[in-house]
Amino acid sequence: MKNKFGKPILIEEYVPINGIEQYLFHSGTNVDNPVLLYLHGGPGSVESLFTHLFQDQLEKIFTIVHWDQRGAGKTLIKNKDKYPTIDLMLQDLFEVIQYLKKKYNKQKIVLLGRSWGSVLGITFIKRFPEEIAYFIGVAQVISMLENERVGYEKLKELILQAGDQKSLDKLEAIDDYPGEKLIIDSQFLKKCAKIRKLQGKYNLAGKIDLPIMLKVLKSPIFKWSDIMALLKGLKANRHVLGNFFGQLRFACGTSRLSSTCLLYFRGPRLASTLCDRPGIFRQNPGSAQTIVFALWRWTSYYD
């Protein structure tokens, strides 16, 4: 990996975590900055390949570490038959945090989770709230069933507004989505793929298309094996999807999370509200505006 921008911190490594070698990518400007561990979405969809697109400003505040989770990305490439369960992933996360605290001599680190990563992050801090300084949830998941219902209704609304009969016919052919209970099986995943394709057309979901793939190719850590890992990520994570994700529903505002958890949903009104609340970013006084703005732009890019 070439450090063409001369970053003081730019490290790729495999670390023994919970019985297997797992991939970490560190990037930052000052070793004294707080350490932020980024939990990617999916499960199975790494974002370490996109760091060159969105995190330069955040690196002025944090040393950012991307972890390719068990069953995803470069960790999947090295451990092709080591598929995840939620319990394995929680133990993996615990050990990654211990490793980072020791490496950077920190008592606590910051945890950021996006989409599926917000699920893993919230589940972790409910069990181990003392391990982190604070948690940032980006595209925070609360209820998967409600998420799919709202997404479906918004898609239908936009299709009707556009008078797009072809897309409306495709949507209505899917039938009964997401249903009364979310059961993530092969039938649901096929329906979901069709919904996501239509949502991508109306900028309601991310698209893996030629422009995105060209951005991946420009990543300083890209290898051709990463393409195979992206394609295999969903299959490797089916156990997590079927046995945990589908039944997920978080209760908000519990007292146990109140001192460590920032649920970031999206939008300028919330951003301005957070910036007026002292103490949320205790390790970096005055940095809330920068962080929230960056995350707002960040979620807009991906979602």
Side-chain angles (χ1 to χ4, degrees), residues 66-108:
H66 283 258
W67 163 43
D68 285 11
Q69 299 159 22
R70 184 185 295 256
K74 297 179 187 293
T75 297
L76 176 60
I77 292 168
K78 206 169 184 73
N79 306 277
K80 293 181 174 62
D81 60 344
K82 303 297 183 182
Y83 290 175
T85 65
I86 186 63
D87 288 333
L88 280 172
M89 295 176 88
L90 288 169
Q91 181 61 31
D92 291 348
L93 177 52
F94 181 86
E95 293 189 18
V96 169
I97 289 173
Q98 304 316 304
Y99 172 77
L100 293 176
K101 289 195 298 185
K102 183 177 180 181
K103 182 178 182 70
Y104 290 99
N105 192 27
K106 306 293 185 185
Q107 290 186 338
K108 295 184 178 183

Side-chain angles (χ1 to χ4, degrees), residues 51-292:
T51 59
H52 61 297
L53 300 175
F54 65 81
Q55 74 177 38
D56 283 351
Q57 292 300 310
L58 286 174
E59 288 177 14
K60 296 176 181 178
I61 303 168
F62 299 108
T63 296
I64 303 178
V65 181
H66 283 258
W67 163 43
D68 285 11
Q69 299 159 22
R70 184 185 295 256
K74 297 179 187 293
T75 297
L76 176 60
I77 292 168
K78 206 169 184 73
N79 306 277
K80 293 181 174 62
D81 60 344
K82 303 297 183 182
Y83 290 175
T85 65
I86 186 63
D87 288 333
L88 280 172
M89 295 176 88
L90 288 169
Q91 181 61 31
D92 291 348
L93 177 52
F94 181 86
E95 293 189 18
V96 169
I97 289 173
Q98 304 316 304
Y99 172 77
L100 293 176
K101 289 195 298 185
K102 183 177 180 181
K103 182 178 182 70
Y104 290 99
N105 192 27
K106 306 293 185 185
Q107 290 186 338
K108 295 184 178 183
I109 68 167
V110 179
L111 202 58
L112 184 150
R114 197 195 84 84
S115 191
W116 153 254
S118 75
V119 175
L120 185 60
I122 286 284
T123 306
F124 180 84
I125 65 172
K126 286 173 71 177
R127 297 191 187 185
F128 306 103
E130 70 283 351
E131 289 296 327
I132 65 164
Y134 50 85
F135 172 76
I136 304 172
V138 180
Q140 177 69 50
V141 176
I142 300 299
S143 166
M144 279 301 297
L145 180 59
E146 188 64 19
N147 183 75
E148 294 306 310
R149 283 177 180 159
V150 171
Y152 179 92
E153 292 302 324
K154 186 62 178 179
L155 173 61
K156 189 172 183 179
E157 176 189 328
L158 293 177
I159 288 174
L160 291 171
Q161 287 178 359
D164 185 353
Q165 188 61 46
K166 185 176 180 180
S167 292
L168 183 61
D169 291 342
K170 289 180 179 179
L171 184 66
E172 292 179 342
I174 293 170
D175 189 37
D176 190 30
Y177 186 89
E180 293 300 315
K181 184 178 180 182
L182 200 59
I183 301 174
I184 302 183
D185 54 14
S186 59
Q187 184 178 8
F188 171 82
L189 291 174
K190 288 177 182 178
K191 289 183 177 181
C192 185
K194 293 176 182 179
I195 292 287
R196 291 293 185 269
K197 187 174 182 180
L198 290 170
Q199 288 173 332
K201 181 178 179 180
Y202 286 89
N203 296 317
L204 295 175
K207 295 179 287 186
I208 298 181
D209 52 14
L210 182 58
I212 288 292
M213 294 311 298
L214 290 175
K215 290 172 181 176
V216 168
L217 294 177
K218 294 179 181 179
S219 169
I221 61 172
F222 172 76
K223 294 182 179 178
W224 288 107
S225 55
D226 294 324
I227 299 295
M228 188 60 66
L230 285 170
L231 296 174
K232 289 185 174 182
L234 179 60
K235 180 180 178 181
N237 286 271
R238 281 188 175 178
H239 180 86
V240 177
L241 282 166
N243 294 332
F244 181 77
F245 212 4
Q247 287 71 47
L248 180 71
R249 184 175 183 86
F250 285 122
C252 296
T254 60
S255 60
R256 189 174 184 189
L257 299 182
S258 61
S259 64
T260 57
C261 180
L262 164 58
L263 293 181
Y264 174 76
F265 286 93
R266 188 166 163 180
R269 178 180 299 177
L270 180 60
S272 62
T273 301
L274 290 173
C275 291
D276 291 337
R277 292 179 61 188
I280 291 178
F281 295 92
R282 289 182 299 275
Q283 294 189 0
N284 284 276
S287 66
Q289 184 76 43
T290 304
I291 297 170
V292 173

